[in-house]
Amino acid sequence: MTIIVRYLQLSYNSVTVDESFLGFLNVDDTTGKGLLDIALEELNSLGLEIDDMCGQGYDNKANMKGKQQGVKKRFLDLNPRAFYTPCGCHSLNLTLSWSLKSLCQTRWESRVESGKAIKLQLVNVREALLHVEEKDNDVAIASEATSIAEKELGDFEYLLSIVMWYQLLNHVNIVSKKLQSNDMHLDNAITEINILIGYFKDYRETAEENFRVNYFLYIVDQAISSFETRFEQFKEYEKVFGFLFPYNLRGIEDKDLKSSCHHLEKALKFEERSDIDAEELYIELKLFETLETNEFNSHVDVLKFLKKLDYFPMHALHIGFC
């Protein structure tokens, strides 16, 4: 198991969001409890307090993100403020899965390239399989090659689906790459996922009726449902932190801003102690409103600006295990 820590690096007049790879951890027990025990031992040896964690992120394996026994749940039992964020690219990998061969499960682009190769070279692939059927001395291999060439690659539904999947996979791959960018933030991730879901919903309206009902809608509806389920955590965080997104913070009514600050204070509260004071945050945001300029291109730009003022408190630690 690898351990990576994401944190704010503060200097006199600068702020950066850094990641540090701390090493590989030997794992004998891959259950949620086993992985947690190893993680806690490592964090303790590094002098990192669990109470300082404000986030955790893993792939979508049950032992990591399981709601009852996963590492995510066990960390939340120790510190409910260590908000869990699923790996967006792993979620996209699990949303749509179709291939003729074993593919890299963590590299989404391999699926797109596989589909592209089949779609653009379908005739050559079929001819190669028929050649195998004629020349290979292994009866089992020859029989399998014939089956694929005549039943799969000669099937109308398959041919239609390869065209459809190639289009869908390309759109998903574009979003996957965006989610991996260094400057991707929660608000942008939510926007990208919503745009992708919208594309699928529009796409489902373009098929002919018979194919649409019996095949097309089933596949696309499954994809839409999977997108919405796997990224529902983003929606929950939007309810908590959404008022801080730039397009929401601008022009928010005072009563709504104060209410949102108190909602955030409650979300960050554990054992009668919260990371923030709602009234202080409200006053700070109102003060920031008078200082805001159009020069900010990212959240880090805002942090750098606030650091120069040396007035607003800031600290964050985000720990990730794979």
Side-chain angles (χ1 to χ4, degrees):
M1 180 169 64
T2 64
I3 177 173
I4 297 171
V5 178
R6 180 181 297 131
Y7 52 93
L8 287 182
Q9 181 82 332
L10 307 178
S11 62
Y12 174 70
N13 63 351
S14 179
V15 177
T16 58
V17 179
D18 290 338
E19 280 188 352
S20 293
F21 165 70
L22 301 184
F24 295 106
L25 307 181
N26 290 325
V27 174
D28 295 316
D29 181 358
T30 59
T31 65
K33 183 180 186 305
L35 294 172
L36 177 78
D37 290 342
I38 294 172
L40 290 177
E41 181 180 350
E42 180 69 10
L43 293 176
N44 183 60
S45 70
L46 294 170
L48 297 175
E49 297 289 339
I50 300 301
D51 196 51
D52 289 335
M53 286 178 62
C54 67
Q56 51 176 322
Y58 321 112
D59 61 23
N60 282 280
K61 295 296 180 64
N63 58 349
M64 300 302 292
K65 66 123 183 184
K67 295 182 178 180
Q68 302 299 327
Q69 303 295 329
V71 176
K72 172 199 76 172
K73 175 62 166 59
R74 294 177 183 275
F75 264 124
L76 289 174
D77 288 341
L78 298 174
N79 178 6
R81 296 161 296 171
F83 293 104
Y84 165 72
T85 301
C87 172
C89 296
H90 278 94
S91 295
L92 288 175
N93 279 335
L94 295 171
T95 299
L96 297 173
S97 179
W98 173 89
S99 66
L100 290 178
K101 61 180 181 179
S102 177
L103 296 174
C104 174
Q105 296 301 313
T106 58
R107 186 170 175 268
W108 177 260
E109 192 170 4
S110 68
R111 301 180 182 277
V112 181
E113 293 303 316
S114 178
K116 179 180 180 180
I118 296 172
K119 177 179 180 294
L120 299 182
Q121 304 178 73
L122 192 59
V123 174
N124 293 333
V125 171
R126 189 171 186 273
E127 289 180 353
L129 288 168
L130 292 175
H131 180 75
V132 170
E133 183 263 333
E134 293 177 0
K135 302 295 183 180
D136 202 294
N137 295 323
D138 189 313
V139 176
I141 292 177
S143 176
E144 184 176 3
T146 302
S147 176
I148 294 175
E150 295 181 354
K151 294 181 180 179
E152 278 80 9
L153 299 188
D155 180 69
F156 173 76
E157 184 176 307
Y158 176 85
L159 297 175
L160 197 55
S161 68
I162 192 66
V163 174
M164 183 187 79
W165 276 119
Y166 180 62
Q167 293 179 344
L168 298 180
L169 291 175
N170 268 293
H171 278 79
V172 174
N173 190 49
I174 291 172
V175 175
S176 179
K177 287 182 176 295
K178 289 182 179 180
L179 293 180
Q180 296 177 67
S181 62
N182 292 332
D183 58 352
M184 176 56 64
H185 300 285
L186 181 61
D187 53 341
N188 295 329
I190 291 173
T191 299
E192 291 295 336
I193 294 300
N194 285 335
I195 290 174
L196 185 60
I197 292 174
Y199 167 77
F200 269 73
K201 289 182 176 179
D202 290 340
Y203 192 67
R204 78 186 293 274
E205 302 300 326
T206 63
E208 292 291 338
E209 191 62 24
N210 186 42
F211 179 73
R212 166 187 162 90
V213 172
N214 296 322
Y215 180 79
F216 183 82
L217 290 188
Y218 173 77
I219 295 295
V220 178
D221 285 348
Q222 287 287 94
I224 292 172
S225 175
S226 187
F227 279 132
E228 292 176 337
T229 299
R230 294 191 181 280
F231 290 96
E232 62 185 355
Q233 193 71 61
F234 285 177
K235 296 179 181 179
E236 293 301 314
Y237 291 157
E238 186 175 26
K239 295 176 184 177
V240 177
F241 299 100
F243 75 102
L244 294 172
F245 297 165
Y247 52 81
N248 288 332
L249 193 57
R250 297 189 186 97
I252 188 173
E253 297 288 338
D254 278 2
K255 62 181 181 63
D256 294 329
L257 177 60
K258 182 169 291 189
S259 174
S260 296
C261 289
H262 281 278
H263 186 211
L264 180 58
E265 179 187 49
K266 184 178 180 181
L268 296 175
K269 191 173 184 179
F270 179 54
E271 294 182 345
E272 303 305 315
R273 185 175 68 85
S274 179
D275 286 348
I276 67 167
D277 180 285
E279 293 297 327
E280 288 184 4
L281 177 62
Y282 169 75
I283 294 174
E284 289 170 359
L285 290 173
K286 292 300 294 182
L287 174 60
F288 178 71
E289 188 179 40
T290 65
L291 303 174
E292 186 177 1
T293 71
N294 294 323
E295 299 176 0
F296 302 136
N297 296 316
S298 69
H299 299 73
V300 175
D301 289 341
V302 176
L303 291 176
K304 290 179 179 179
F305 177 76
L306 297 179
K307 186 66 176 67
K308 289 180 180 179
L309 292 179
D310 198 27
Y311 173 76
F312 299 94
M314 58 182 71
H315 71 279
L317 175 68
H318 185 107
I319 297 178
F321 299 92
C322 299

